[in-house]
């Protein structure tokens, strides 16, 4: 089963903002979120997936420095816990031999 196959069509939520042969930058439509994905070969001949996400800051209301978006402040702790649980589950699957090709 290809990775992310169970998610269905997410094109109504995500759009490609940038792409190279090994990187993909996705934007959540109508939201200040970006997701970055990159693949790179390892010395063992496998493929490593790197990823990250960002919440873009809002411009300061008085022309001051940008500040975190209110949605970021609201969801930051949930996001950290969710990301850690996903990484733990992926690592556990990897150790048990449920590796995706």
């Amino acid at each position: 089963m290809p990775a992310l196959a169970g998610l269905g069509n997410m094109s109504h939520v995500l759009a490609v903002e940038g792409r190279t042969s090994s990187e993909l930058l996705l934007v959540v439509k109508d939201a200040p979120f970006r997701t970055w994905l990159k693949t790179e070969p390892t010395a063992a001949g496998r493929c490593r997936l790197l990823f990250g996400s960002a919440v873009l800051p809002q411009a300061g209301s008085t022309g001051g420095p940008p500040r975190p978006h209110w949605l970021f402040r609201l969801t930051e702790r949930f996001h950290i816990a969710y990301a850690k649980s996903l990484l733990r589950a992926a690592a556990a699957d990897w150790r048990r031999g449920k590796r995706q090709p």
Side-chain angles (χ1 to χ4, degrees), residues 85-99:
S85 70
L86 285 177
L87 290 171
R88 277 194 295 275
D93 283 352
W94 184 263
R95 286 191 295 273
R96 285 193 299 265
K98 295 181 181 179
R99 298 178 176 105

Side-chain angles (χ1 to χ4, degrees), residues 14-36:
L14 299 172
V16 175
E17 187 167 271
R19 177 190 310 236
T20 69
S21 62
S22 63
E23 293 181 89
L24 185 63
L25 181 61
L26 299 170
V27 59
V28 177
K29 293 180 181 178
D30 301 322
F33 302 113
R34 302 295 184 272
T35 298
W36 168 79

